[in-house]
Amino acid sequence: DDEIDMKLFPLLNDIMNLVTDTLESFMGHLRQFIVDDKGVVLIATFGLRGSSTPNMLTERAIPATRFLHRTLKSELGVDNRIGGTIGSAYCGVVGGNCRHEYAVLGPSVNLAARLMSLPKHKHPGILVDDEVRKKAGKTANFRPHDLVKAKGYSHLVPTFQPLTATERRWGAVNPNFVGRKDEMGMVLKLAQAMAQSSRTPAKMYFLVGDSGSGKSAVVVHTIAVLSKVLRVSGKNIIITRNVSNEGDSHVPFSLFRSIFRDVLHELQRPDSDDSSNDDNSSYCNSLFEKDWDKMSLSAASTARSENSNSMDQINYLCKEIGAPKGFLEIVGHHLLGHAKQDEGNGKSAKMDEIVNVMARAFARCTDHAHLVVLAMDDVHNVDRMSWQVVRKLFETCDNLLIFCGSRPFTSYPPKIEKCFWTKLNDQYTSQKRFYKAELGPLKQCDITEMISKSFDCSPKEIDGTLSKDVFVQSGGMPFYTSEILTNITRQKMCERLENGKMGWRRTTHTGSEPPATYIAFASLDELIVNRIDSLGDGVREILIIAATLGVAFELSELVAVYEQTYTISLSDKDSAHNRVCDTVELALKENIFEESFDFATSDATNDLNDYDISLDNIHSKFENQSRFEINPSKSNPSADESYGGFENKQYRFYHDTWRRNILALLLDSRKRDINRNAALALEMRLQDEEKTDYRSKIQLF
């Protein structure tokens, strides 16, 4: 068909141009580009002889993969699936004298093809194997995905979805997210109006919801949509965010640990090169004549300084705003984790002065932006001093949108000053500067859409009985619905019915067994407990210790408390370590745990995430980098912090419901026993001076 060909050939040409230019920027190579009845298939390689580099996986292969996946979809409208593996392969000529070609052959190549070809509803967009995860070490985070059967492997192969720096800290957007259009629309409307205005007083939007109502998902999804909407607006937009954890309410200014790290990188100094922060953008017909920096939120918001680390920035900021004694210690040492610096003699500032200076520092770092979005989730865990800074920002800053997510106020009252809370609900509400919304259950039509996304089909293809049953069982609560659908998928309870719709499975593949019946649970708690019991007693005991440690914990802490609780002998330590590590891996796959990002070890200027990745800043990042400059902390996995022979990482419970139900399984006497052993183990760890950070102290407290 000539008409189809006229549309197809330019698209294929654009795909080729985009892929080759990106691979060249990241020092990769395109091995194959074919079009057949299965679609377009490309094979790209990194690390061919003569093109291998230090940190090749984390600084080139993974960022290039993310960039290609996102850009193919956003710029060309091409849906795509990518499989990534690492391993030895034959790279050379295959064939005879008359017909031959360059090829890359090996088990890892076959596995990459298998990961790429998984069905759409089972594919998050990018999947990698366990070797990629291991090689990346602590410099990248991954979300466990399904086990897959692959040719040449005697066992099921574990797969993982790579996460960006933003997703590590804030959480990835849920592809099955549905509903909440009113709440999201209100935030988007406020943000767009403020971005267009030159001077608008700060506004605050409070989103309140019970556990399981999808509050955090709404916040994450709203920020993602907001980022896309404003990405090409030509306005300077800064988005900074924080998720408060249990125990943060006891730590002064804990909210600003991650926020200050973000805004310090946004600080524009008179001596910095600001050429990339140009508001003029052009959009041409040719794909590569577009201003790629204007396709990224970071480039549209500010020029990041590659030449100054956070300590240089904070020292410069202190001098410029005349920060009093004590400010550098609080921000630089306690919040950002830098070594203490001599601030000279003089009287230390009072807390009220510190609050004022922190607000001024935040305002100075973001004063060039047309809009600043301060997103705060689980604000019921925010400490009083942080709220005082937030109040100061709200009262003094312009074009600042504060987006808060919280549990119900009746059960989890925020630690806000009473007079400020009264003004928010009275004066600022009437001035249309404070908004509050409560999340209720989803509608049945939303649940139907959620089911359809789970089965990768249209909502019209979902049987009414299935939709009604799931809606009644879940009560319209998104997290409970998600767990029910996970349970249905695991037990293969649904099938395509004779009427063409997806419904309850009526027969098995043999046709001789009785129809499947849905195991209904009276509540989400009952379903969670059933899932925990199915994992076995050994796994449950380790999960109980993890729950005792808190919402977030380190692997080394879990091992230490396990050894203390069960009095593990020296000869049995290795097997005990393996049991704990195996349980953590299982909990990751079951979505009980998720890997947590450690802010103190982050290097925001070195991380190409989905917001700041573009062809222009890729070139600027790599063009002056020596090919023989080695960063041992990234290129050598053994250089990472380890404990007892295994890599130490930080984890957190995927949802508070898991931890709450695990702790509910304990008798009071057993709980006291585990708490006592945990305290002993953690106290021994705190004898090490390197473990005297505030998180460890609060955990012991």
Side-chain angles (χ1 to χ4, degrees), residues 534-555:
S534 67
L535 300 177
D537 293 340
V539 172
R540 183 171 60 179
E541 289 300 317
I542 295 175
L543 291 179
I544 287 173
I545 294 176
T548 304
L549 287 172
V551 174
F553 57 91
E554 291 181 5
L555 179 59

Side-chain angles (χ1 to χ4, degrees), residues 45-48 56 85-92 103-112 129 131-132 135 153:
T45 63
F46 291 87
L48 291 178
M56 181 179 64
T85 58
I86 189 170
S88 300
Y90 168 77
C91 305
V104 179
L105 306 173
S108 58
V109 182
N110 296 335
L111 179 58
D129 68 344
E131 285 302 310
V132 171
K135 293 285 186 181
Y153 291 82

Side-chain angles (χ1 to χ4, degrees), residues 22-60:
T22 303
L23 291 176
E24 181 182 0
S25 300
F26 285 99
M27 297 183 66
H29 295 86
L30 182 63
R31 144 74 183 98
Q32 179 176 286
F33 187 110
I34 61 173
V35 183
D36 56 20
D37 57 340
K38 297 180 181 178
V40 182
V41 179
L42 293 83
I43 299 178
T45 63
F46 291 87
L48 291 178
R49 181 171 295 179
S51 64
S52 60
T53 61
N55 312 323
M56 181 179 64
L57 181 64
T58 56
E59 291 195 354
R60 300 185 188 277

Side-chain angles (χ1 to χ4, degrees), residues 145-185:
H145 206 65
D146 297 336
L147 298 173
V148 301
K149 187 176 182 180
K151 184 179 180 181
Y153 291 82
S154 58
H155 56 279
L156 293 175
V157 178
T159 61
F160 301 85
Q161 175 190 2
L163 302 178
T164 66
T166 302
E167 291 169 339
R168 291 194 303 242
R169 288 176 44 184
W170 188 245
V173 174
N174 185 351
N176 294 333
F177 181 87
V178 299
R180 310 305 189 191
K181 294 180 181 179
D182 292 341
E183 293 83 1
M184 291 176 55

Side-chain angles (χ1 to χ4, degrees), residues 483 486-487 490 526-536 589-592 658:
E483 290 299 317
T486 299
N487 191 53
R490 288 172 184 272
E526 185 179 337
L527 175 58
I528 294 294
V529 171
N530 181 269
R531 287 271 302 277
I532 295 171
D533 289 341
S534 67
L535 300 177
K589 294 171 185 175
E590 293 284 336
N591 278 336
I592 300 174
W658 283 104

Side-chain angles (χ1 to χ4, degrees), residues 62 66 141 161-172 597 607-611:
I62 293 178
R66 289 203 306 260
N141 275 29
Q161 175 190 2
L163 302 178
T164 66
T166 302
E167 291 169 339
R168 291 194 303 242
R169 288 176 44 184
W170 188 245
F597 181 61
D607 194 7
L608 290 173
N609 59 46
D610 277 351
Y611 292 154

